[in-house]
Amino acid sequence: MKSTLSTVAVLASVASAAMFNGLSYNPKQLTTGECPTVNTVKDDLKVLSAYTNQVRIYSVNDCNQGEPVLRAMENTDWKVQLGLWVSDVEEVFEKDRDELIRLAG
């Protein structure tokens, strides 16, 4: 959450309350490396809501980001673009692809 707050502080000084069409978002906790929970994502979304209602994540499988992000956004006006990590390591790509298909189902 500290990384999100730092990002928001920079955005606030640059944009002075401007709304963005969306932001790139990584829900993994930067300082601890902990994977996100629905509650930590909800906390981040509260902070980010002053600047946008849409985020993009780059991988649904890395640290299981897709599931908590989607669950945190249920019954809200938030939008998410779920990312699929394309890697030259076929197993990494396939795991991300399979998780994206599962979440879309």
Side-chain angles (χ1 to χ4, degrees):
M1 177 127 153
K2 285 186 178 186
S3 65
T4 302
L5 293 175
S6 298
T7 301
V8 171
V10 170
L11 291 174
S13 66
V14 173
S16 66
M19 289 298 287
F20 293 91
N21 289 332
L23 295 172
S24 295
Y25 173 61
N26 185 342
K28 190 186 298 187
Q29 301 303 300
L30 181 63
T31 56
T32 64
E34 290 181 30
C35 295
T37 66
V38 172
N39 287 333
T40 60
V41 173
K42 283 181 178 182
D43 290 343
D44 288 348
L45 295 178
K46 286 177 191 171
V47 174
L48 293 173
S49 67
Y51 303 97
T52 191
N53 70 341
Q54 181 170 279
V55 295
R56 182 194 194 291
I57 61 173
Y58 287 92
S59 171
V60 293
N61 194 53
D62 178 40
C63 210
N64 189 33
Q65 294 179 37
E67 187 80 33
V69 169
L70 284 176
R71 298 304 154 241
M73 292 182 178
E74 286 179 341
N75 302 312
T76 72
D77 65 345
W78 277 91
K79 298 176 185 105
V80 62
Q81 296 174 5
L82 297 174
L84 172 68
W85 191 257
V86 178
S87 172
D88 58 355
V89 178
E90 194 162 336
E91 182 182 351
V92 171
F93 167 74
E94 289 174 354
K95 284 182 178 180
D96 237 43
R97 180 200 62 208
D98 292 346
E99 179 65 1
L100 184 62
I101 290 169
R102 184 188 76 77
L103 292 171

